[in-house]
Amino acid sequence: TQLLEQSPQFLSIQEGENLTVYCNSSSVFSSLQWYRQEPGEGPVLLVTVVTGGEVKKLKRLTFQFGDARKDSSLHITAAQPGDTGLYLCAGDRGTSYGKLTFGQGTILTVHP
Amino acid sequence: DTEVTQTPKHLVMGMTNKKSLKCEQHMGHRAMYWYKQKAKKPPELMFVYSYEKLSINESVPSRFSPECPNSSLLNLHLHALQPEDSALYLCASRERGTDTQYFGPGTRLTVL
């Protein structure tokens, strides 16, 4: 059972456009991480959100954690080709061993 | 420093070979993880070590054998693998407090 629905799965846009990626669940998460991954490399942490309603900004990236801590979004302003990659959301339900629930991933391609 | 290192970067092995993957972190994290990842898919949890003890085995075949010699090191011993085991193998460690997992760069494994 997929507990974290991530959408869209594929996104192909032109440089300068804005985009939003969503992760939704019926489960409550104690924390949620967003990662960016390039082919053949490990996921690189972008942000961790832990408080309901929290908004964090990382340059052109804005992350939001839903009030009920069941959903999250990633918004990129003025996308650049360097933003191309696989974006993953991963929620921690607060279990003892930190087992993460991953979204299916969003493959973003930004064309020059 | 939030670095997890993995060696080797690439590994090609035959189905009768025995090899090992290595992971190291010096962040004092007491939970460490092995994941398997296929192209353009999210990572799949294989094993969790907590305080050097195996805490979760996600029904992984016995041809994969994990080992945690100390709090900084994690190994994955491979024996008699199948071609379908070819994948990117990721190691991660978890930070207490934020519960954030930091991933290594991965080992690209090809089984011939």
Side-chain angles (χ1 to χ4, degrees), chain A residues 46-65:
Chain A
L46 296 174
V47 78
T48 299
V49 286
V50 297
T51 304
E54 184 175 10
V55 177
K56 283 191 173 180
K57 293 192 174 184
L58 183 66
K59 297 183 180 178
R60 294 177 292 101
L61 279 60
T62 302
F63 305 86
Q64 189 162 5
F65 201 17

Side-chain angles (χ1 to χ4, degrees), chain B residues 11-19 63 78-81 112:
Chain B
L11 179 62
V12 179
M13 59 186 293
M15 290 189 285
T16 59
N17 292 158
K18 286 186 180 180
K19 297 287 184 182
R63 56 186 184 268
L78 315 173
H79 174 55
L81 294 193
L112 302 176

